[in-house]
């Protein structure tokens, strides 16, 4: 078997095994609630792994390495700010969400702002999660196709089959088990590539001098970009549906806090490993395109080690798709299917599986025919930041604004953020700031000029 055959065999075996792990966990589910929450079936460590799994896709490996090739170690802020977001979430948000007993972000916000906002939040989050999945299918599947030398269409269908089977078969528990393996292989893949770079420098120590001095500057990306990343990542962590779903599975608010801390601790090293890889590639492979900063090492690694590294890239693709797919499915089921059609309890599990199947198929045609959607990860995080603003107000300023202004503010934010993104961030003002400020401004105007002095009544339509 040749080098490519070894890499291909390891990669395909990895996909098959992790998919089976997800599917075989289906025996645990007796109803749609256990399918979506896996209540009390996972401890804080496994939930911590799940929490970070939404955010460790190809953007946190290939993307960070690519940026590090261009600007240096400061690219690691992409993941460091996510870790900081999880630490804040652990102390200020996770225990409160766990105590609510809700597993959808829309349901949680509806307790304070009413049923109209529930629908708006749900639609916003489905929009954001589907956008992420389209970009993950587009970029991840294209990368996998190139690494194991298969057509892009074949790669898209392999990714779709693996993720749909895992989510439809195993629910949150299946995703949890599969994503634990994916996170492990992601680490193994990053360590393998970092080791290849370190080994090369050991044999050719003079090569280290080729790393530009500016690449060692932790502020190389600039203060504006760092602030935008920080706001976007904190907003995404605070409001993402899959994160709320995971927090709902643990027994106590204390366990929820622990899970958030674990997620923050686990995610930060990924940023440094990927950034080290990109910086090293700048010295070792100075003529390549920056997007190849990590894949360039695969050609100089032993075949079996390259197979592990490629599996890590596959893991980076699958891990985020699984999280987004399950999160979007939970929102569709909880906020639309059950209220509108009122299916009997004994039929809900089957309907839930059908919904996850359909949601899993949605990104496929876009991935096949609209490849230009790759650069949408931070736009999707901006959309979620709008929801995060409302979540912070709900817990720490519940009398600010009103249900009506919260709903209008979120709708205004989604429209303005989308327009700002399409226009290419005019005046250098990032769309993440539009997403964060829009709902707050609408609620502030309402609070100062229109709101009645009495507090809004909490919704009881749960």
């Amino acid at each position: 078997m040749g080098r490519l055959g070894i890499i291909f065999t390891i990669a395909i075996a990895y996909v098959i095994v992790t998919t089976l792990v997800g599917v075989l966990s289906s025996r645990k589910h007796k109803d749609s609630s256990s399918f979506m929450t896996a209540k009390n079936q996972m401890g804080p460590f496994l939930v911590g792994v799940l929490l970070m799994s939404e955010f460790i896709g190809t953007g946190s490996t290939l993307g960070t390495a690519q940026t590090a090739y261009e600007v240096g170690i400061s690219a690691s802020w992409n993941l460091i700010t996510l870790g900081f977001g999880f630490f804040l979430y652990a102390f200020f948000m996770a225990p409160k969400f766990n105590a609510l007993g809700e597993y959808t972000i829309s349901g949680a916000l509806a307790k304070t702002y009413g049923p109209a906002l529930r629908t708006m939040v749900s639609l916003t989050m489905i929009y954001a999660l589907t956008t992420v999945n389209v970009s993950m299918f587009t970029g991840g599947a294209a990368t996998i196709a190139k690494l194991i030398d298969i057509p892009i269409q074949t790669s898209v269908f392999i990714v779709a089959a693996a993720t749909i089977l895992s989510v439809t078969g195993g629910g949150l528990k299946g995703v949890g088990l599969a994503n634990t393996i994916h996170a492990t292989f992601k680490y193994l893949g990053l360590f393998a590539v970092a080791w290849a770079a370190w080994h090369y420098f050991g044999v050719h120590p003079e090569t280290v001098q080729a790393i530009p001095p500016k690449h060692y500057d932790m502020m190389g990306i600039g203060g504006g970009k760092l602030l935008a990343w920080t706001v976007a990542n904190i907003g995404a962590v605070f409001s993402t549906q899959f994160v709320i779903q995971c927090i709902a599975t643990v027994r106590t608010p204390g366990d929820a806090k622990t899970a958030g801390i674990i997620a923050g601790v686990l995610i930060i090293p990924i940023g440094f490993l990927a950034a080290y890889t990109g910086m090293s590639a700048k010295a070792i492979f100075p003529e390549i395109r920056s997007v190849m900063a990590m894949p360039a090492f695969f050609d100089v690694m032993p075949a079996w080690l390259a197979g592990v590294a490629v599996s890590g890239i596959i893991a980076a693709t699958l891990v985020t798709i699984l999280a987004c797919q399950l999160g979007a499915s939970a929102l569709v089921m909880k906020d639309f299917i059950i209220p509108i059609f009122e299916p009997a309890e004994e039929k809900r599990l089957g309907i839930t599986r059908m919904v996850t199947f359909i949601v899993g198929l949605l990104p496929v045609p876009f991935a096949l025919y609209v490849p230009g959607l790759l650069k949408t990860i931070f736009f999707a995080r901006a959309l979620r930041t709008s929801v995060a603003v409302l979540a912070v107000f709900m817990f720490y300023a519940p009398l600010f604004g009103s249900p009506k202004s919260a709903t209008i503010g979120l709708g205004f934010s989604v429209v303005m953020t989308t327009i700002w993104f399409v226009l290419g961030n005019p005046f250098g003002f990032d769309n993440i700031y539009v997403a964060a400020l829009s709902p707050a401004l609408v609620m502030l105007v309402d609070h100062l000029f229109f709101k009645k002095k009495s507090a809004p009544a909490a919704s009881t339509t749960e």
Side-chain angles (χ1 to χ4, degrees):
M1 182 182 296
R3 176 184 177 83
L4 186 59
I6 293 174
I7 296 174
F8 179 85
T9 300
I10 293 174
I12 295 300
Y14 176 82
V15 172
I16 293 173
V17 170
T18 53
T19 302
L20 286 175
V21 167
V23 172
L24 293 177
S25 65
S26 62
R27 294 171 296 177
K28 297 282 185 180
H29 305 303
K30 296 180 174 61
D31 53 44
S32 60
S33 180
S34 67
F35 182 91
M36 285 298 180
T37 66
K39 186 68 176 177
N40 298 332
Q41 295 181 33
M42 296 182 289
F45 180 79
L46 183 56
V47 172
V49 173
L50 270 177
L51 286 174
M52 75 165 186
S53 67
E54 162 92 18
F55 303 96
I56 57 172
T58 51
S60 62
T61 48
L62 297 176
T64 300
Q66 177 183 4
T67 304
Y69 188 96
E70 298 166 353
V71 302
I73 190 65
S74 61
S76 60
W77 283 112
N78 181 20
L79 279 298
I80 296 173
T81 52
L82 270 172
F84 179 63
F86 272 116
F87 291 140
L88 291 178
Y89 185 80
F91 285 95
F92 297 107
M93 304 294 283
K96 292 182 178 293
F97 272 122
N98 180 266
L100 281 178
E102 271 285 345
Y103 69 85
T104 62
I105 181 65
S106 54
L109 287 167
K111 287 181 177 292
T112 297
Y113 296 113
L117 184 68
R118 176 200 289 269
T119 301
M120 181 64 71
V121 169
S122 190
L123 290 173
T124 301
M125 194 59 62
I126 292 169
Y127 176 26
L129 295 177
T130 302
T131 300
V132 172
N133 262 3
V134 168
S135 66
M136 290 306 302
F137 264 88
T138 304
T143 302
I144 292 169
K146 186 169 185 177
L147 291 176
I148 61 178
D149 195 28
I150 60 175
I152 178 64
Q153 294 84 356
T154 303
S155 181
V156 168
F157 287 119
I158 288 175
V159 171
T163 53
I164 289 172
L165 286 172
S166 289
V167 178
T168 304
L172 185 58
K173 182 64 179 294
V175 170
L177 294 174
N179 274 5
T180 300
I181 300 173
H182 292 323
T184 301
F185 263 81
K186 184 171 185 117
Y187 263 101
L188 289 175
L190 285 169
F191 274 119
V193 178
W195 174 85
W198 177 83
H199 179 72
Y200 187 94
F201 287 143
V203 177
H204 308 281
E206 71 283 356
T207 310
V208 178
Q209 304 303 317
I211 298 177
K214 64 177 183 178
H215 275 45
Y216 293 99
D217 182 6
M218 278 298 292
M219 292 303 297
I221 60 169
K225 177 66 73 175
L226 175 57
L227 179 61
W229 281 1
T230 302
V231 173
N233 286 335
I234 292 175
V237 171
F238 274 34
S239 63
T240 293
Q241 165 57 32
F242 184 72
V243 173
I244 309 301
Q245 235 168 311
C246 293
I247 286 299
T249 70
V250 294
R251 296 177 184 274
T252 67
D255 285 344
K257 178 180 177 181
T258 301
I261 293 172
I262 290 171
V265 170
L266 289 176
I267 205 166
I268 290 175
I270 295 175
F272 286 109
L273 286 168
Y276 174 75
T277 298
M279 290 177 64
S280 302
K282 181 68 174 179
I284 300 170
F285 310 106
E287 303 300 325
I288 64 171
R289 292 183 299 121
S290 61
V291 72
M292 296 301 294
M294 186 174 291
F297 285 98
F298 297 163
D299 291 334
V300 298
M301 297 167 64
W304 67 271
L305 196 58
V308 172
V310 170
S311 296
I313 300 299
I314 295 174
T317 299
L318 298 182
V319 73
T320 299
I321 293 175
L322 288 172
C324 291
Q325 186 178 327
L326 187 66
S329 299
L331 290 167
V332 172
M333 193 68 192
K334 183 92 181 289
D335 294 337
F336 298 100
I337 300 297
I338 292 177
I340 295 173
F341 299 102
E342 300 180 346
E345 182 58 46
E346 62 270 16
K347 295 182 178 180
R348 288 185 183 181
L349 180 57
I351 295 173
T352 300
R353 294 187 191 279
M354 182 176 66
V355 168
T356 60
F357 180 83
I358 295 172
V359 169
L361 285 179
L362 283 178
V364 174
F366 293 98
L368 289 173
Y369 301 113
V370 195
L373 291 176
L374 180 58
K375 298 179 180 179
T376 54
I377 289 291
F378 273 93
F379 167 62
R381 290 182 184 176
L383 293 173
R384 286 178 281 182
T385 297
S386 301
V387 179
V389 170
L390 299 182
V392 172
F393 286 151
M394 175 180 67
F395 287 129
Y396 293 100
L399 301 183
F400 183 77
S402 66
K404 182 177 181 180
S405 66
T407 304
I408 294 173
L410 180 58
F412 176 70
S413 179
V414 171
V415 172
M416 288 303 299
T417 303
T418 302
I419 292 173
W420 212 257
F421 173 75
V422 171
L423 293 177
N425 296 331
F427 314 110
F429 194 73
D430 199 281
N431 62 82
I432 184 62
Y433 304 131
V434 175
L437 292 174
S438 294
L441 288 175
V442 171
M443 294 177 72
L444 177 63
V445 170
D446 175 72
H447 188 80
L448 293 177
F449 301 108
F450 300 105
K451 184 185 174 186
K452 295 180 180 179
K453 296 304 179 182
S454 57
S459 171
T460 58
T461 58
E462 288 300 305

